[in-house]
Amino acid sequence: HRDVPPRQATGPMVLIAQGNGQAAYSQAVLAEYLASRGFVVVTTPSPTRTGSQMRSDADILPVATLQARDLLLAAHEVARRGLHNDTDVTVIGHSFGARAGFLMLADGSASDLISLDGGIGNREGSGWLAGSRLDPAKIHGTIVHVFQEGDSIVRPDFALLSSMKQASRFLVRAEGMRHWQFTSLGTIASAFPEIAPTETTSTGSRAAVYVVEFVGCLLETRSSASLRVARCLQDRTSLTLASRQEP
């Protein structure tokens, strides 16, 4: 429904940074789940849907910068309408979108980042910050990076995350998942497996649902980062804590 009067928001404003080429429907299940629990959830389309192009790795940083700017403009508009303040912001970034979330952590416009198989933890395009003035070692905040190991085209690489010495970082392995299962399609295919674009496993299908619940739990739980992650992983057997790194 459009223009539904909002109830009193709880927790941070949630900005969803879409993956490359994706739009609102790509994370509709996650967004509606979070909104149903009282969060103000905001998203913008991937810049490559609105005219930007990525021809090489040299385009990654400019496009991620543009996406971060789009999200920040959306957050300011939400604040202008009186729906939330724009000083308490968590970014959820899928795939390429996690790079925009990383940039928002770097400039202080967000304090937490939940990366759903995000580019900040993938080998592909891992040199995207080369030549920039960004120093990952100076970035603060909390990062929870949920990753899969089933897709050969999206391979884990945690060098960037390891370099963020002043941030709290948690790496969570999602057993049996594929990269596309971190989108709405992954959750829907858990109920209707015939629409899955690739072969899936029961473990991966369960994990796709657990990821949505896990994100909601992280946002709702008011405690230290370590306790939040531990509590929210409890009983979600397809998700396991692979690594914890804190300042």
Side-chain angles (χ1 to χ4, degrees):
H1 299 276
R2 297 178 66 92
D3 302 319
V4 175
R7 64 182 183 182
Q8 185 64 40
T10 60
M13 183 193 302
V14 180
L15 302 182
I16 296 182
Q18 303 288 343
N20 184 30
Q22 296 181 345
Y25 62 80
S26 302
Q27 295 295 337
V29 172
L30 174 62
E32 291 184 14
Y33 175 76
L34 297 177
S36 75
R37 304 184 79 82
F39 293 98
V40 172
V41 185
V42 186
T43 193
T44 58
S46 163
T48 56
R49 290 185 69 93
T50 57
S52 297
Q53 297 185 30
M54 284 198 295
R55 299 182 181 87
S56 70
D57 286 359
D59 296 319
I60 294 177
L61 180 56
V63 174
T65 301
L66 179 58
Q67 185 171 17
R69 190 180 308 150
D70 286 347
L71 289 165
L72 193 56
L73 285 171
H76 290 337
E77 178 61 18
V78 169
R80 187 188 70 79
R81 296 185 186 186
L83 301 177
H84 205 293
N85 67 70
D86 55 5
T87 58
D88 183 10
V89 172
T90 292
V91 181
I92 302 172
H94 171 244
S95 194
F96 187 91
R99 301 178 194 270
F102 170 88
L103 296 178
M104 295 184 74
L105 277 186
D107 68 14
S109 53
S111 56
D112 298 288
L113 170 62
I114 301 172
S115 165
L116 303 181
D117 213 26
I120 60 171
N122 292 337
R123 189 176 306 176
E124 290 67 33
S126 58
W128 68 295
L129 294 175
S132 74
R133 297 181 179 180
L134 282 170
D135 183 357
K138 295 181 179 179
I139 293 176
H140 296 265
T142 299
I143 301 172
V144 179
H145 176 69
V146 188
F147 66 97
Q148 55 78 36
E149 297 175 310
D151 274 337
S152 60
I153 60 171
V154 183
R155 298 166 294 172
D157 184 325
F158 304 136
L160 176 59
L161 288 161
S162 295
S163 70
M164 300 173 67
K165 303 295 186 182
Q166 297 189 50
S168 297
R169 294 142 288 153
F170 301 87
L171 307 183
V172 176
R173 181 184 294 106
E175 298 292 342
M177 281 187 71
R178 300 294 186 96
H179 188 65
W180 62 268
Q181 287 179 290
F182 288 88
T183 68
S184 295
L185 181 58
T187 318
I188 295 168
S190 298
F192 303 97
E194 63 272 16
I195 71 170
T198 64
E199 185 178 351
T200 61
T201 65
S202 59
T203 301
S205 295
R206 285 196 301 270
V209 176
Y210 286 152
V211 166
V212 173
E213 296 176 345
F214 176 61
V215 170
C217 181
L218 288 175
L219 293 170
E220 288 181 325
T221 305
R222 299 286 107 189
S223 62
S224 70
S226 293
L227 288 176
R228 270 188 291 160
V229 172
R231 175 185 171 185
C232 294
L233 285 176
Q234 189 174 10
D235 298 328
R236 294 182 174 91
T237 54
S238 297
L239 305 180
T240 56
L241 182 64
S243 174
R244 183 181 77 184
Q245 299 171 315
E246 297 183 269

